[in-house]
Amino acid sequence: MATSSRVRSTVCALAIGILVAGCGAKPAARVEAVQTETVEDFGLHDQRGDFHSLYYYSDASAVVLFVQGNGCPIVRNGVPSLDAIRAEYAPQGVVFLMLNANPQDDRDSVAEEALAYGIDYPILVDETQLVAASLGVTRTAEAFVIRPSDWRIVYRGPIDDRLDYEAQKVDPGATYLADALAASLDGRTPSIAGMRARGCLVALADAHADAPTYTGRVAGILDERCITCHVEGGIGPFAIESYEDARGWAPMIREVLRTRRMPPWQADPHVGTFANDISLTVEETQAIVRWVEAGAPRGEGPDALAASARVAPSWSLGEPDLIVTIDEQEMPATGIIDYRYLEIPAPVDRDVWVRGVQILPSNYAATHHVLVSIDYPEGFTAPWASDERWLDGVFAGYAPGAEAEAFPDGSGRILPAGSKLIFQLHYTATGRPETDATRLGIYFADEAPDTEYMMTGPVNGDIELPPGAKAYTASAERVFDVDMTLHGLFPHMHFRGKSFTYEAHYPDGSTELLLSTPNYNFNWQRSYMLAEPKVLPAGTKIVCRAVFDNSAQNRFNPDPTQTVTWGDQSFDEMLIGYMTVTWPRRAPAAAGVAAAGAAAGVAAAGAAAE
Ligand code: HEC
């Protein structure tokens, strides 16, 4: 069996050994059997915005990946043949996906093409072209058969011999793809492992042209996107503080970018614009990966990361009027640490208006998130309170990289005397015992504000995930009867959460997708703050749609055999579409205004006012 040089060069590109001598430079000198080709994991969004990780399909009997391209006649004419193969093999557990790496196509045009030509496959849109490049894709209409037991490519080439440029046979003489699938499902090696595909050429950017250097480009991106967490004492497990660190982590950096594990930002980049967006642009991802694949060159000039001084986070709005410190928490070296809840009486002796808050963990390496809610005192029936009053009570939050939150101008929150502050603490094991004594800083307003800054949102407590279900869908909705301004969105599910969307249904009948997190990750509880706050007129309905994965394929699932319903523990589930909003002040105008410091100094059990 002949092994094309393209296949051989792919072997090099695919091995983590891109940095291994012998690969890259003269691939033709290496002879490798096609069976040794393994595909590394990757993550991509499809034309509908759904997220796919290749390795999620480890339970498939085979994965077929077909290279699609808009406008290519061979692709369009090949789809009916692929449909026929799918009809036979999908029931046998074969997963069918397409890949589009054409620079001239984008998600919208791919979706249009799919609609126009009845292509109902997920088409993974490879905007960075990194997946196509690593597979050695040069033409569309090429089909790959990937064997999930070891992620090897057992066949690559055309579907059959029916189609050629401006020529079609009625019936194929050779059914390469179907033969390869039949063999692979039978545990045999397909007799033909690779054939030249006849498709349209994919305009791949030249990966080796002008590889960026660390000093020229890469250090700046790392500084902006990674160092918040990957700093000494940060939540990231290692620090990237020099060229040597970056070079040492280079292959892993490439892996987390390809799989989209890092930076931890789950929003679909095609939906909404967010002020706290930490994701990489297509160009930034390409720059880093090309740098890694070029051998991580340093470049000339000083090391920007080594030179930049890291300042420990501090009270960025100045010294708070009140500081509440939790009792020191102790964390074990390893294992899953379930959420902890602490209840601390708010140390205020009268109702106060608050204009800003900040949470400062003492241990950034172990603190994943902190959420503080107000449990209002008995008898304090605030007129805005929804049926789910505990929802409206979310008061302050911390996630890595978060800064002080100065509430929007002219807005504030009331903290009534007699309230309790409920701290929800999510710690992570770092490999050694850790302690933390998080502080909550509170800034008082001088006067009652015009608008109130609140957390609210739709909730659905009526969820029931069947054991093993890969995509259990549920929704929550709520109509708001006041004009309000939306500032942020904070989807909340637990380990089984898979994806979450917010859609606004406006009173004029129009709808708008506000946020989509197609690759939801329970570990990262965060707000997506709108770059431009949005006015939601009275009568707007917010619909949240959540998908849960209770199967063994969900690597976070603690037990796929359980029926899962609503509950506080992370092995239970939740469906909450938190929204941060401002709306006209409804709290009693008479609520007192604290003179700075007046309320401080009321030490309470579990809390110490500094
Ligand atoms: C918001 C904080 C945060 C940011 C920003 C961040 N990381 Fe991470 N990173 C983490 C945490 C936490 C882990 C450990 C994850 C785990 O428990 O496996 C991690 C792990 C990693 C790993 C180890 C592999 C793995 O999946 O565990 C690599 C490599 C990495 N990050 C690279 C990056 C790069 C490159 C960037 C910027 C493009 C980045 N990170 C941005 C927090 C962050």
Side-chain angles (χ1 to χ4, degrees):
M1 142 189 62
T3 307
S4 74
S5 70
R6 183 198 53 191
V7 169
R8 268 180 269 116
S9 68
T10 308
V11 175
C12 285
L14 289 175
I16 307 226
I18 32 166
L19 302 173
V20 170
C23 275
K26 283 198 212 92
R30 277 170 65 109
V31 179
E32 210 113 0
V34 75
Q35 286 80 0
T36 62
E37 262 188 277
T38 43
V39 185
E40 285 174 65
D41 197 11
F42 58 79
L44 290 174
H45 295 96
D46 69 19
Q47 81 276 27
R48 304 171 192 122
D50 291 334
F51 185 80
H52 300 262
S53 288
L54 177 66
Y55 283 15
Y56 178 83
Y57 300 108
S58 62
D59 61 343
S61 53
V63 176
V64 171
L65 189 66
F66 179 75
V67 183
Q68 184 268 352
N70 293 352
C72 180
I74 302 212
V75 169
R76 288 176 179 168
N77 282 300
V79 171
S81 310
L82 193 63
D83 289 345
I85 295 172
R86 181 178 59 175
E88 185 178 349
Y89 285 96
Q92 300 180 52
V94 177
V95 167
F96 289 80
L97 304 169
M98 291 190 178
L99 180 76
N100 180 312
N102 280 356
Q104 70 272 34
D105 300 344
D106 59 20
R107 188 190 290 181
D108 291 341
S109 65
V110 169
E112 278 167 30
E113 173 94 0
L115 202 64
Y117 290 87
I119 306 176
D120 58 352
Y121 299 73
I123 306 173
L124 314 188
V125 183
D126 186 16
E127 291 174 301
T128 61
Q129 298 189 323
L130 295 172
V131 174
S134 73
L135 289 169
V137 164
T138 55
R139 284 179 190 272
T140 61
E142 183 175 24
F144 291 81
V145 176
I146 302 165
R147 182 168 69 193
S149 57
D150 53 7
W151 299 113
R152 282 181 181 172
I153 297 170
V154 296
Y155 171 74
R156 65 182 300 165
I159 296 174
D160 53 37
D161 67 352
R162 198 171 62 85
L163 299 173
D164 206 337
Y165 309 103
E166 297 187 65
Q168 290 195 23
K169 296 186 202 168
V170 179
D171 291 313
T175 51
Y176 309 119
L177 175 61
D179 294 352
L181 277 173
S184 186
L185 265 55
D186 240 20
R188 289 179 287 118
T189 303
S191 55
I192 297 177
M195 294 278 299
R196 201 172 78 82
R198 284 186 170 48
C200 305
L201 283 165
V202 178
L204 289 174
D206 182 358
H208 300 293
D210 300 330
T213 61
Y214 171 82
T215 51
R217 181 89 179 93
V218 172
I221 305 173
L222 298 176
D223 196 14
E224 201 177 322
R225 308 292 194 182
C226 318
I227 303 308
T228 358
C229 299
H230 289 277
V231 62
E232 209 53 51
I235 186 85
F238 55 88
I240 313 175
E241 292 176 324
S242 66
Y243 168 66
E244 285 70 27
D245 292 339
R247 186 187 54 188
W249 285 101
M252 272 311 288
I253 289 175
R254 175 176 177 272
E255 177 177 301
V256 295
L257 297 191
R258 276 172 54 98
T259 52
R260 306 213 178 199
R261 282 207 304 278
M262 289 285 144
W265 177 261
Q266 281 77 39
D268 179 343
H270 291 259
V271 179
T273 317
F274 302 95
N276 58 339
D277 190 345
I278 52 167
S279 66
L280 298 182
T281 64
V282 166
E283 189 275 319
E284 287 170 335
T285 306
Q286 286 171 329
I288 295 188
V289 173
R290 285 195 186 133
W291 169 74
V292 176
E293 294 184 347
R298 184 186 184 284
E300 298 300 316
D303 185 337
L305 288 189
S308 79
R310 311 269 155 226
V311 278
S314 60
W315 302 116
S316 47
L317 300 177
E319 192 63 17
D321 297 309
L322 179 65
I323 297 173
V324 179
T325 308
I326 65 167
D327 283 342
E328 185 169 90
Q329 300 294 303
E330 293 185 358
M331 278 73 76
T334 183
I336 291 180
I337 306 170
D338 221 325
Y339 282 15
R340 294 181 183 177
Y341 294 89
L342 303 182
E343 190 181 293
I344 300 175
V348 291
D349 55 11
R350 67 172 95 168
D351 299 354
V352 293
W353 285 101
V354 175
R355 66 177 168 88
V357 287
Q358 185 171 12
I359 293 174
L360 284 181
S362 70
N363 184 332
Y364 289 92
T367 309
H368 237 281
H369 85 256
V370 179
L371 213 53
V372 181
S373 342
I374 304 174
D375 184 7
Y376 295 105
E378 202 70 42
F380 185 83
T381 45
W384 70 83
S386 64
D387 295 342
E388 299 90 8
R389 273 192 53 195
W390 49 272
L391 254 186
D392 295 347
V394 177
F395 180 58
Y398 163 82
E403 301 189 347
E405 195 178 7
F407 300 160
D409 272 355
S411 73
R413 296 209 51 160
I414 191 164
L415 178 61
S419 299
K420 290 182 198 121
L421 297 169
I422 314 291
F423 282 72
Q424 180 194 78
L425 302 151
H426 178 197
Y427 292 114
T428 184
T430 65
R432 64 176 185 199
E434 300 275 0
T435 60
D436 171 64
T438 281
R439 289 174 297 166
L440 165 67
I442 301 176
Y443 298 86
F444 297 143
D446 296 333
E447 52 190 52
D450 295 335
T451 56
E452 289 185 48
Y453 187 61
M454 303 291 298
M455 269 286 217
T456 182
V459 181
N460 181 353
D462 197 18
I463 46 177
E464 189 170 335
L465 289 56
K470 281 188 173 164
Y472 169 81
T473 305
S475 58
E477 51 183 66
R478 189 156 157 193
V479 180
F480 293 91
D481 61 2
V482 285
D483 288 345
M484 60 189 205
T485 304
L486 177 67
H487 297 274
L489 299 161
F490 181 151
H492 180 66
M493 301 179 283
H494 292 173
F495 286 135
R496 277 109 170 161
K498 182 189 180 88
S499 66
F500 201 100
T501 56
Y502 287 78
E503 199 171 54
H505 294 237
Y506 296 114
D508 68 4
S510 61
T511 62
E512 183 182 12
L513 189 57
L514 300 172
L515 171 71
S516 172
T517 53
N519 184 25
Y520 180 85
N521 182 336
F522 165 77
N523 276 323
W524 297 102
Q525 299 287 334
R526 64 158 69 252
S527 279
Y528 295 86
M529 301 306 293
L530 307 193
E532 285 293 331
K534 192 176 280 290
V535 175
L536 303 180
T540 299
K541 179 165 79 176
I542 298 294
V543 179
C544 293
R545 190 167 169 279
V547 181
F548 298 89
D549 184 344
N550 195 18
S551 77
Q553 293 307 105
N554 172 0
R555 57 199 175 94
F556 300 112
N557 192 347
D559 186 356
T561 67
Q562 296 295 313
T563 298
V564 183
T565 53
W566 180 276
D568 276 347
Q569 298 297 320
S570 42
F571 51 77
D572 305 316
E573 265 311 327
M574 284 197 179
L575 193 178
I576 305 175
Y578 286 119
M579 301 160 60
T580 319
V581 301
T582 42
W583 54 33
R585 176 165 55 79
R586 295 200 200 170
V593 173
V602 189
E610 286 176 10

